[in-house]
Amino acid sequence: MSQKNDLNWFITHKKRVEVALLALILLVNATANSFVVLMETSSSAMQSWEPWVWEFSSMLALAALLLPLAWWTDRLPLQFRQPGRQLQHHLIGVMVFTAAHILLMVGIRQATYHLFDGHYQFDWSAQNLLYELAKDFRIYLLFVALFELYRFVVRRWRGEASQLSNPPDETSSSSRYLQQVLVKMLNQEFLIRLEDVSFIRTAGNYQELYVNGRAYPLRITQTALLQQLDPQRFVKINRGEIINLRLVSAFRRRQGRDAELQLQDGTTLQVHRNYIDAIPESLRVINPAEV
């Protein structure tokens, strides 16, 4: 497959690929650790299944925490700005992560031991809790780094947009608005004109600029971006989407007070009732059969 087809396949199956990769990492690590513990305790009176319960209970607890951790790191991406504030937030994150990991892990172990008519007693001493904290601190840092690296690679593969540090000097009356952005991919850079962007969708800390069905993430809040867009061309149609009015091909009322727009590239977007008035009357052509 070509690079474009590879990217399209990845975008289509992105969630499944992410889950599969994380599951593979956790399973390999838990299995390897189980064998190590099993060999280290081979001469003790411990049951052969116990090391597997220990390691896989830790793995299951960690798996349950990875989605919240991914959300947390997406909300607080690593930046050079405000390092003190970031350090404070991540210290809080480590403490919550460690407490949740221990509680989930102990709960799984106790339930499993109960199935085997056994009893599991976790060591709640200060020394052991410090050991668990140090271990979870390393795990936390590892996954924060992995998430950041993964997101960076994906953004560069898809093409990450950024504002020009020295935008060209325009003479038109609309020059005070954002005219174009620079897109950086793995092996190339190019400019995208805002007039070619059909719609913009909020995705976490990014605004995805859609051009010919391709999304280019731009790191900016929706509020800040709206202040830089020409209001005669771009309007907000719901909480998470902005459209280019000049690329609208159809407007249709729906049951109730909502509506939908169709763009020239065939994309259909929903217009919330609170934003219908932002659509110019010249575009609000109602089909009588749909009223």
Side-chain angles (χ1 to χ4, degrees), residues 204-252:
N205 294 320
Y206 288 82
Q207 302 301 311
E208 294 185 331
L209 313 181
Y210 280 80
V211 181
N212 298 324
R214 182 85 174 264
Y216 300 96
L218 173 66
R219 187 172 184 79
I220 190 174
T221 65
Q222 185 188 77
T223 301
L225 180 59
L226 279 170
Q227 294 174 351
Q228 301 181 49
L229 296 177
D230 185 351
Q232 300 300 316
R233 180 187 293 271
F234 291 94
V235 298
K236 186 174 179 179
I237 60 171
N238 54 55
R239 291 184 60 186
E241 292 175 329
I242 301 168
I243 56 137
N244 186 341
L245 291 171
R246 299 184 186 180
L247 297 181
V248 173
S249 62
F251 174 90
R252 290 184 289 272

Side-chain angles (χ1 to χ4, degrees), residues 5-289:
N5 289 336
D6 288 340
L7 178 58
N8 290 336
W9 181 91
F10 172 77
I11 293 174
T12 302
H13 301 88
K14 184 172 179 288
K15 294 298 183 182
R16 294 179 181 177
V17 171
E18 291 170 349
V19 171
L21 287 175
L22 287 175
L24 180 62
I25 292 172
L26 294 176
L27 282 172
V28 169
N29 182 69
T31 302
N33 288 343
S34 297
F35 277 113
V36 170
V37 175
L38 191 61
M39 288 186 291
E40 290 177 346
T41 59
S42 58
S43 59
S44 67
M46 184 182 302
Q47 298 292 326
S48 61
W49 52 266
E50 290 185 90
W52 297 93
V53 172
W54 297 348
E55 295 302 327
F56 275 82
S57 62
S58 178
M59 181 207 73
L60 291 173
L62 179 57
L65 294 173
L66 285 182
L67 182 60
L69 181 59
W71 174 85
W72 177 251
T73 56
D74 185 54
R75 298 286 295 178
L76 295 169
L78 296 178
Q79 296 177 338
F80 292 109
R81 297 179 299 174
Q82 300 180 322
R85 184 178 180 184
Q86 288 218 342
L87 179 60
Q88 179 183 5
H89 287 159
H90 283 293
L91 285 176
I92 295 173
V94 168
M95 300 302 293
V96 173
F97 178 84
T98 300
H101 186 220
I102 291 175
L103 291 175
L104 286 171
M105 179 180 67
V106 171
I108 295 172
R109 291 178 183 179
Q110 290 178 339
T112 306
Y113 270 71
H114 181 71
L115 292 176
F116 288 91
D117 296 324
H119 175 71
Y120 175 77
Q121 180 61 47
F122 182 75
D123 182 4
W124 293 100
S125 67
Q127 182 178 1
N128 189 58
L129 289 177
L130 286 175
Y131 165 78
E132 294 290 341
L133 176 61
K135 185 176 66 174
D136 284 344
F137 179 74
R138 294 194 298 269
I139 294 174
Y140 180 92
L141 288 182
L142 172 63
F143 277 99
V144 167
L146 285 176
F147 288 157
E148 289 290 338
L149 177 61
Y150 169 76
R151 290 177 183 132
F152 174 78
V153 172
V154 170
R155 289 196 303 267
R156 287 304 175 93
W157 190 16
R158 295 180 63 180
E160 183 177 12
S162 61
Q163 298 187 48
L164 297 173
S165 56
N166 295 305
D169 185 18
E170 302 282 353
T171 57
S172 65
S173 59
S174 61
S175 61
R176 59 194 177 98
Y177 299 115
L178 185 63
Q179 301 294 315
Q180 54 190 2
V181 294
L182 175 66
V183 173
K184 296 181 180 180
M185 299 187 71
L186 291 178
N187 56 358
Q188 60 180 318
E189 296 183 0
F190 54 90
L191 295 173
I192 287 180
R193 298 182 302 174
L194 265 293
E195 64 186 47
D196 295 328
V197 174
S198 56
F199 71 100
I200 302 169
R201 176 174 291 157
T202 299
N205 294 320
Y206 288 82
Q207 302 301 311
E208 294 185 331
L209 313 181
Y210 280 80
V211 181
N212 298 324
R214 182 85 174 264
Y216 300 96
L218 173 66
R219 187 172 184 79
I220 190 174
T221 65
Q222 185 188 77
T223 301
L225 180 59
L226 279 170
Q227 294 174 351
Q228 301 181 49
L229 296 177
D230 185 351
Q232 300 300 316
R233 180 187 293 271
F234 291 94
V235 298
K236 186 174 179 179
I237 60 171
N238 54 55
R239 291 184 60 186
E241 292 175 329
I242 301 168
I243 56 137
N244 186 341
L245 291 171
R246 299 184 186 180
L247 297 181
V248 173
S249 62
F251 174 90
R252 290 184 289 272
R253 290 279 186 178
R254 301 178 60 195
Q255 290 183 348
R257 297 169 57 192
D258 293 340
E260 65 180 17
L261 289 172
Q262 184 170 350
L263 304 179
Q264 293 178 6
D265 62 4
T267 302
T268 299
L269 300 174
Q270 307 305 314
V271 185
H272 191 273
R273 62 183 67 112
N274 294 339
Y275 298 94
I276 289 180
D277 290 341
I279 308 298
E281 292 186 5
S282 59
L283 291 178
R284 282 185 267 163
V285 179
I286 302 175
N287 185 340

